[in-house]
Amino acid sequence: MVEPFGFIGIFIAVAFILASVPVLLNWLIAPKKPNPIKEETYECGIETVGDTWVQFKAQYYIYALIFVVFDIEAAFLLPWAVAYKQVPLVGVIAMLLFIVLLADGLVYAWRKGDLKWR
Amino acid sequence: MDPFSSIAVALENLLASLGFADWLIDLIMAVLRSAILGTVALLAFMFLTWLERKLIGRMQDRLGPTYAGPIGILQPIADGIKTLTKEIVVPKGADRWIYFSGPILAAMAALAVFAVIPFGPDTGNGPLVGTALNVGLVYVLAAGAAGIVATIMAGWGSNNKFAVLGTFRAVAQLISYEVPQLLSLVAVAMVAGTMDMVKIVDAQTVPFIFPLFVTALLFLISGVAESGRSPFDLLEADSEIVAGFHIEYSAMMFALVQMAEYIHAFAISCIVVTVFLNGWAWPFLPGLAPIWFLVKCFAVFFILIWFRGTLPRFRIDQMMAFNWQFMVPLALVNVIVVAVVDRALSDAAGWTSASQPWGWGLVMFAANAVMLLAALGLMSLKGREARMRDAEKARSQSAVAATGR
Amino acid sequence: MTAQQGFFVFFSLVTLIAGLRVVTARNLFHAAIWLVLALAGVAALFAVLDAGLLAAVQVLIYIGAIAILIIFAIMLTRGMMAPERRRLNSWSSTGAVVSLVLLIVLVQAIIAFPWATPGAALAEPPADSVVTLGKALVDPNQFVLPFELASVLLLVALIGGIFVARERRGGE
């Protein structure tokens, strides 16, 4: 049997083909009548005004930051969770300490109002 | 021996007898298996679009598609044909490579999950699964994360203010709801002792939805939010941000985006069934287990459709507050409670999921119930406080208005 | 060359070329996408080397979180949508010298290191590598102290990052 990630590689390649074939078919079959009005970017029916740049709130970045920290936390938690049944009580407490420390960070963000969508 | 394994074995023997090298046989079988899994996902997608439109129609007291074929069953095919013949309009100034690869990558990421979902038991020739990956859970989460990057690419590649704005909000929602998803799967991995999807099904002496009730709820809700379905479909609300990040996509590109979303939702249903509802397990013919598995997946998807037909849409700030101030803390507490209760049970009473399934399940369920009631109680208390504060403020404001004149 | 070596070389090339394109791309967003490709290449390398958990975690964290964070950070800079600026600034000559020195040092170190004999089979990972890792993380004799310190580091990063990223109060 092909080792697991080998299969995953093949599966991803097959998925790529499955996803691109309809697009290819569409591109081949469909009419192509490019026309400057059709290709105008959509702006509720009026002409585009100004640069295509949008006010990017810092709030988005804060959410991404908190997500990164919790993502890393989950990455540590997962191998521990698999070993959970075979780990002595000390190990469980060590991990609980880890979780509490990061929950502390969440509480900080909460109290400072950083979790609110401004 | 079940029908699928028998066919596979027969095919392998055929190829071997034709003189193909071992590695080539493996390669061909792998390609075939991927193709079949992918096709199953796509067929499920077509069926589910029809199912959804019919059910939503019924919930809204109308019939849904009835024209194409009996009871409208050929509707997805009609839609497909229509989509294939529509012109792909590439917006001016769009970044060609990124514009085209965004939706394709999103569809690939959604499909990728199906490589590790077990469809049937081990009947002598390996479990009926794409591959029994020993880190299946992480792989599933990683596929979801990759889909998020694809969403960014799709939104940015359109060179359109509305698309970019829609993308930011979509990504903020997607990454936020990934946290409770991660944490709930951590609880599952704890109790199952493995991340291998095949072994998780086997480890469920009691279907995990029972002892890990809060975990299942968290995963289901965050899964619905992750796949951008109602009530979390702010990303593509026609009335809000004019279809959000996929404004500039037409024809098949748009269909790809829809496909990615539906397949993602179906994949979430399949994961829920595998991890919480005992996967393909049923006490009868093991050969036909895949059918029972698919029935269960459709049942879970029905719940998703039910959500869509019933619940009104959330605002973005409500969604974020719900996630970060309720779901994530609850998920963290859930991990701690599951760890403590399970360890206490096994140390003190020797009850584990293996030795005393129903006893263990009952105590865990009780712990979950306590946790849920406490969380809801806390929420209602906070809600009452907030309402009283608002009433205070309103009263004082009207008093000022009355005397200040 | 075995199949494993072949795949290793292929994915290494992908990663290196993508890494090169990150720093030479004209458009900042393109650079971010090349970075995603480079990270995916690293994940593939992990998979080729039988480190399945690391491959999946690499995709989950680096592509799913850090790449997104970088893209958000890019979008916070006004000049992102503008066409490319000059890619070389006044430090480029110093940078070139330092890079050359670093290259020489690294090559020397790699040559001098006692690697395993070429052609010998790679060591087999333990059958339950994930469980071993999980146990090692919280074992008092192994990695529990660095592990807890890592959590403190994450906490500091979280608080610091939020503090810095917060919009100016009062001027809103």
Side-chain angles (χ1 to χ4, degrees), chain B residues 384-399:
Chain B
R384 204 178 315 154
E385 267 176 39
R387 273 198 298 276
M388 294 209 302
R389 251 181 296 136
D390 285 343
E392 255 317 308
K393 216 189 302 178
R395 242 179 290 139
S396 68
Q397 275 178 351
S398 60

Side-chain angles (χ1 to χ4, degrees), chain C residues 2 5 74 88 97 108 114 132:
Chain C
T2 67
Q5 286 176 324
I74 291 176
L88 303 174
V97 169
Q108 297 273 44
T132 314

Side-chain angles (χ1 to χ4, degrees), chain C residues 14 17 20 23 26 33 36 41 45 47 65 72 79 87-89 95-96 100 111 114 131 135-136 151-152 157 160 168:
Chain C
V14 167
I17 294 178
L20 195 64
V23 294
R26 308 192 137 232
I33 298 297
V36 170
L45 283 174
F72 274 12
R87 275 172 283 134
L88 303 174
N89 58 20
L100 195 60
I111 294 178
V131 174
K135 280 202 253 189
S151 76
V152 173
R168 299 270 167 271

